[in-house]
Amino acid sequence: MKPSTHAHSRPPQALSALTGRLRGQSRKITGPRQAILEILRRHPHPMTNREIFAAMPKGRCDLATIYRAMHLLEEMGMVQRFDFGDGTARFELVGEGDDGHHHHLVCTRCAGVVEIDECFLREIESRIAARNGFKAVTHKLEFFGICPECQR
Amino acid sequence: MKPSTHAHSRPPQALSALTGRLRGQSRKITGPRQAILEILRRHPHPMTNREIFAAMPKGRCDLATIYRAMHLLEEMGMVQRFDFGDGTARFELVGEGDDGHHHHLVCTRCAGVVEIDECFLREIESRIAARNGFKAVTHKLEFFGICPECQR
DNA sequence: ATCGCTGCAAAAATTTTGCAGGTAA
DNA sequence: TTACCTGCAAAATTTTTGCAGCGAT
């Protein structure tokens, strides 16, 4: 998992800012949730629930709790769900005010991830919506390839 | 599941042409495989393995056999795997000589699917590959929205 | 007669859920 | 105190795999 370069610059959010968003929605600030947010905060790339669980000091919380927390955080817009097509969901922290929409370039050999901040499809999205009479059209896009390290 | 419009026109392939491709790779033409190909042939949209199983006359073959067949057909390039982000794989028949690369517009209410034949990202793909030193870059892209029927 | 393929059953992996008890507010 | 959360256990899905026997070539 070599390429951890991220061309973007999502500034790390303070933990207090994150818990504040929870408090604002009158959700409780518990040990497991703080631990999860702390882990996501330090990780610039999408993580599976199992990875979050593994990164947690000595099973500090149950895996089921992580699943429930990610549902909540996703609903609140604090994390964004990504799907790399291997059948396991991945989550990334979303900056305050950001909608979290971006893409990734994933190495199919080592699973390394490069963040892609540009979005190329905004206008194509509206064209497709109009042409087919759809509303509220969004998209999911991920790139896959072989990273420089894995080519050698 | 209303919108079954497909702007594209993938001509249905004869079953004999399909089995011929199997024969050409010295794979066996069995009852289950013929049934699977027949079902896919009549379905212009991606199907889950369970849907294929359900469309099969009276459990004519085992679900595990369908999984194994789809692996084979995918490897042979006869079907293309799609991922609508709900954690279950979907498969669509690929025309002879076609690479199967295309996208979908999926209704998040009724799960209806519109096929999108254009691909907008060929050149962006090479730009991203070059910029990050990746090789063999591909992408997966799906659109989601609310179809005309479901808006009423 | 091969070797590949199938059905059945069991297992693996991810995700969801019920429930009783605990804790943040 | 009162909701909300958590851990534990069980269940629901999707997908994979082992094995013995059958069947296409």
Side-chain angles (χ1 to χ4, degrees):
Chain A
M1 223 214 70
K2 308 302 174 35
S4 18
T5 321
H6 37 308
H8 69 107
S9 53
R10 272 188 278 290
Q13 306 171 71
L15 188 58
S16 60
L18 294 171
T19 56
R21 289 171 75 179
L22 279 174
R23 185 171 291 120
Q25 303 251 345
S26 48
R27 316 310 294 243
K28 298 190 177 165
I29 297 163
T30 64
R33 289 182 182 173
Q34 289 182 70
I36 291 169
L37 290 171
E38 185 60 37
I39 289 166
L40 288 175
R41 207 173 70 83
R42 290 201 292 242
H43 249 269
H45 298 309
M47 295 183 83
T48 66
N49 284 351
R50 191 163 290 280
E51 283 168 348
I52 296 173
F53 183 62
M56 191 98 35
K58 197 170 82 79
R60 200 174 167 306
C61 98
D62 196 86
L63 187 53
T65 299
I66 298 181
Y67 274 95
R68 283 189 272 232
M70 299 320 282
H71 277 299
L72 172 67
L73 294 174
E74 184 181 18
E75 221 168 74
M76 291 180 56
M78 289 184 61
V79 301
Q80 177 77 33
R81 176 190 298 258
F82 291 101
D83 190 341
F84 290 176
D86 64 348
T88 60
R90 284 173 167 76
F91 298 91
E92 222 179 291
L93 210 47
V94 170
E96 180 120 46
D98 188 4
D99 73 346
H101 182 84
H102 66 283
H103 309 293
H104 302 93
L105 172 55
V106 183
C107 178
T108 50
R109 293 250 175 89
C110 70
V113 175
V114 178
E115 304 275 329
I116 308 280
D117 271 355
E118 302 166 77
C119 180
F120 323 89
L121 297 169
R122 299 292 191 194
E123 83 182 69
I124 287 169
E125 206 170 70
S126 4
R127 195 158 81 221
I128 286 190
R131 183 183 302 169
N132 296 283
F134 274 57
K135 297 283 189 207
V137 172
T138 59
H139 66 270
K140 288 178 182 288
L141 165 65
E142 306 296 342
F143 296 91
F144 302 91
I146 300 173
C147 78
E149 297 286 334
C150 290
Q151 286 168 37
R152 300 184 301 177
Chain B
M1 224 214 69
K2 307 301 175 32
S4 19
T5 321
H6 37 310
H8 71 108
S9 52
R10 272 187 279 287
Q13 306 171 70
L15 187 58
S16 60
L18 294 171
T19 55
R21 289 172 75 179
L22 279 174
R23 197 185 319 271
Q25 304 252 343
S26 50
R27 316 312 292 245
K28 297 188 176 164
I29 297 162
T30 63
R33 288 181 181 174
Q34 289 180 71
I36 290 169
L37 289 171
E38 186 59 39
I39 288 166
L40 288 175
R41 207 173 70 82
R42 290 200 294 242
H43 249 269
H45 297 308
M47 295 182 82
T48 66
N49 284 351
R50 191 163 290 281
E51 283 168 348
I52 296 172
F53 183 63
M56 191 100 32
K58 197 168 83 75
R60 202 175 165 305
C61 98
D62 196 86
L63 187 52
T65 300
I66 298 182
Y67 275 94
R68 283 188 272 233
M70 300 319 284
H71 277 299
L72 172 67
L73 294 174
E74 185 181 18
E75 221 169 73
M76 292 180 58
M78 289 184 61
V79 301
Q80 176 76 32
R81 176 189 297 259
F82 291 100
D83 189 341
F84 289 177
D86 64 349
T88 61
R90 284 174 167 76
F91 298 91
E92 222 179 292
L93 210 48
V94 170
E96 182 121 45
D98 188 3
D99 72 347
H101 182 85
H102 66 283
H103 308 292
H104 302 92
L105 171 55
V106 184
C107 178
T108 50
R109 292 251 174 89
C110 71
V113 175
V114 177
E115 304 275 328
I116 308 280
D117 271 353
E118 302 165 77
C119 181
F120 323 90
L121 297 169
R122 298 291 189 196
E123 84 181 69
I124 287 170
E125 213 170 54
S126 6
R127 196 158 81 222
I128 286 190
R131 182 181 303 167
N132 297 282
F134 273 57
K135 296 282 187 210
V137 172
T138 59
H139 66 270
K140 289 179 181 288
L141 165 65
E142 306 296 341
F143 296 92
F144 301 91
I146 300 173
C147 78
E149 297 287 334
C150 290
Q151 287 168 36
R152 301 185 300 178

